[in-house]
Amino acid sequence: MKLKDNFVLITGAAQGIGRIIAIGMAKEGAHIGVADINIEKAEATAEEIKSLGVKSLPIKIDVSKSEEIALAFDRFIQEFGRIDVLVNNAGITKDTLIIRMKEEDWDLVLNINLKGVFLCSKEALKLMTKQQYGKIINISSVVAFIGNPGQANYSASKAGIVGLTKSIAKEYATRGIRANAIAPGFIQTAMTEGLPEKVKEEMKRLIPLGYFGEPQDVTNVAIFLASKESDYITGQVIHVNGGMYM
Ligand code: NAP
């Protein structure tokens, strides 16, 4: 087991990629804090994880709100005592062309997708510094590197995550803390299933491997980055996109 008795907090873990990362890490022996804005779904996911024989705690969190983050981390530490891995996975889209994009659509996406990563990482770094150990894994996106019409806010937030990840990696390397990002391409989840078929077909043509990814493809890399196997890797972005960007 690659993560035996590691304590892991994953944001946006109630469903989608975060949920599959949570289940994948639990299968590797980790105890999981399922932190999500949707507490009912987080509770259901935490129950599912417990059935795998590890501990799991559902935690209500809105990653754009520093007071909620502080409470969520307090709760996690009360229950588990330490944090080995933080996965900053929570993210949203609010797509429209720039000309139609309202200032509040920009702020909402940036506050959840980018400020949320900063605030949660800050909280985790306080604890990881005391431990002199920790791994932070941030979920970026392929659009951080190639842009996407209709996703100016989302692409900017995901590109911001890359700079933030590298800065954390440099600031905290001497404290035994590693920070890396994963940039998924098109992964089949609730976030992507609502797209029109025509858009999906166009996207598929841009993928050299010719098919969409699954949350498990992202999970495999997240487990590697959380494990000791990746100890000499920090400040990197691992692309999981079927060759869509290379
Ligand atoms: P998803 O199915 O929509 O899941 C995201 C989860 O985050 C949901 O449970 C959502 O709750 C929760 N959430 C939303 N706002 C939150 C907040 N303020 N605080 C805490 N939790 C919040 O999305 P996904 O496809 O699994 O995506 C997960 C991550 O991968 C995101 O960062 C996304 O940008 C990134 N990503 C996805 C793809 C893809 O193709 N799917 C590609 C590249 C990157 P609600 O459902 O209640 O809002």
Side-chain angles (χ1 to χ4, degrees), residues 121-176:
S121 299
K122 191 173 167 183
E123 217 50 57
L125 285 165
K126 287 184 211 162
L127 300 158
M128 289 174 173
T129 300
K130 282 193 205 141
Q131 299 167 182
Q132 292 286 295
Y133 180 80
K135 297 210 165 190
I136 295 182
I137 302 166
N138 296 327
I139 308 298
S140 175
S141 167
V142 67
V143 299
F145 298 85
I146 61 175
N148 203 18
Q151 290 199 312
N153 49 2
Y154 183 78
S155 307
S157 71
K158 294 297 183 180
I161 285 177
V162 174
L164 175 57
T165 304
K166 292 182 183 187
S167 300
I168 296 170
K170 285 198 173 170
E171 270 188 45
Y172 285 88
T174 57
R175 277 99 158 179

Side-chain angles (χ1 to χ4, degrees), residues 11-18 35-38 41 61-64 89-92 112-113 139-142 154 158 184-192:
T11 68
Q15 67 171 42
I17 294 172
D36 203 284
I37 200 161
N38 186 328
K41 274 195 192 166
I61 198 172
D62 178 343
V63 297
S64 64
N89 165 79
I92 61 157
I112 293 172
N113 294 12
I139 308 298
S140 175
S141 167
V142 67
Y154 183 78
K158 294 297 183 180
F186 193 109
I187 307 295
Q188 301 198 78
T189 68
M191 187 177 266
T192 47

